[in-house]
Amino acid sequence: MVDEEKVKLMTRMAIYEKREGKNAIEQTSYFKRDYVNYNVLKSMIWGLIGFLLIVGLICAMNIESVVEDILDANYKSIAIMLACFLGGFLLCYYFITRILYSYRYDKMRHGVSNYRKGLKRLRQIYNEKDKEVEQAEYKKGSVAEENDEFISY
């Protein structure tokens, strides 16, 4: 006889595992701080690369004015302005990614917590089933006879 609760539980857990469970279980093995810091660092590096690409594209679009003003440009003020823009961009990007990855970690943690509760419930169902089988065998006398043979010297 098929236990309907067990089948529903196993199906729900298999769907979770297939969709997001593999990554979530692996990623929640990290401490939250480590997970967030690692992903913020990766994002900051990609943010820096993106910023430099955008600056390069802006320079490429305005190449005529850049070439005309190459000798007359005040490089110190341009460098200070770019550093301020970069600092502001990375600061905003830092806070946004920190909030985003903290939220993602908490969401994954909640999903993994429910998954582990499902595993615990499934284990309880199997233990209950094993106890029922043991009690049925004991009532039949098969377990008692095996124990008597084991104890006898």
Side-chain angles (χ1 to χ4, degrees):
M1 185 164 135
V2 177
D3 187 3
E4 190 174 325
E5 180 186 4
K6 183 171 68 172
V7 171
K8 285 180 182 179
L9 189 59
M10 290 173 76
T11 305
R12 193 173 359 149
M13 290 170 46
I15 290 170
Y16 174 77
E17 248 183 88
K18 187 174 183 180
R19 288 187 182 161
E20 62 215 33
K22 285 184 181 179
N23 292 334
I25 292 170
E26 180 182 326
Q27 291 173 350
T28 55
S29 65
Y30 297 112
F31 290 111
K32 181 178 180 177
R33 181 177 171 195
D34 294 337
Y35 172 79
V36 171
N37 287 339
Y38 173 70
N39 284 299
V40 165
L41 179 63
K42 281 193 325 188
S43 294
M44 295 294 286
I45 291 169
W46 284 110
L48 176 63
I49 291 169
F51 181 83
L52 294 175
L53 285 174
I54 290 171
V55 169
L57 287 174
I58 291 172
C59 288
M61 285 176 28
N62 300 319
I63 193 71
E64 291 177 12
S65 63
V66 170
V67 171
E68 288 174 3
D69 298 334
I70 200 160
L71 296 175
D72 299 331
N74 185 358
Y75 292 110
K76 186 176 182 180
S77 65
I78 292 173
I80 291 172
M81 183 181 67
L82 279 176
C84 289
F85 280 136
L86 177 63
F89 171 75
L90 288 179
L91 189 65
C92 291
Y93 199 69
Y94 171 80
F95 287 115
I96 290 169
T97 55
R98 180 160 284 287
I99 291 168
L100 175 73
Y101 283 108
S102 289
Y103 172 75
R104 283 185 183 176
Y105 184 86
D106 291 338
K107 187 176 175 183
M108 283 187 298
R109 190 67 148 174
H110 180 70
V112 170
S113 175
N114 288 339
Y115 177 75
R116 289 187 176 145
K117 286 178 186 175
L119 284 177
K120 188 175 181 180
R121 177 65 187 135
L122 193 60
R123 190 177 318 128
Q124 287 175 347
I125 291 171
Y126 277 111
N127 286 342
E128 290 170 4
K129 185 74 172 171
D130 288 344
K131 285 181 183 178
E132 289 174 8
V133 169
E134 280 182 16
Q135 288 176 356
E137 287 178 358
Y138 185 75
K139 287 180 182 177
K140 289 180 185 176
S142 62
V143 174
E145 292 173 6
E146 290 175 6
N147 286 343
D148 289 342
E149 290 174 9
F150 179 74
I151 294 174
S152 63
Y153 296 102

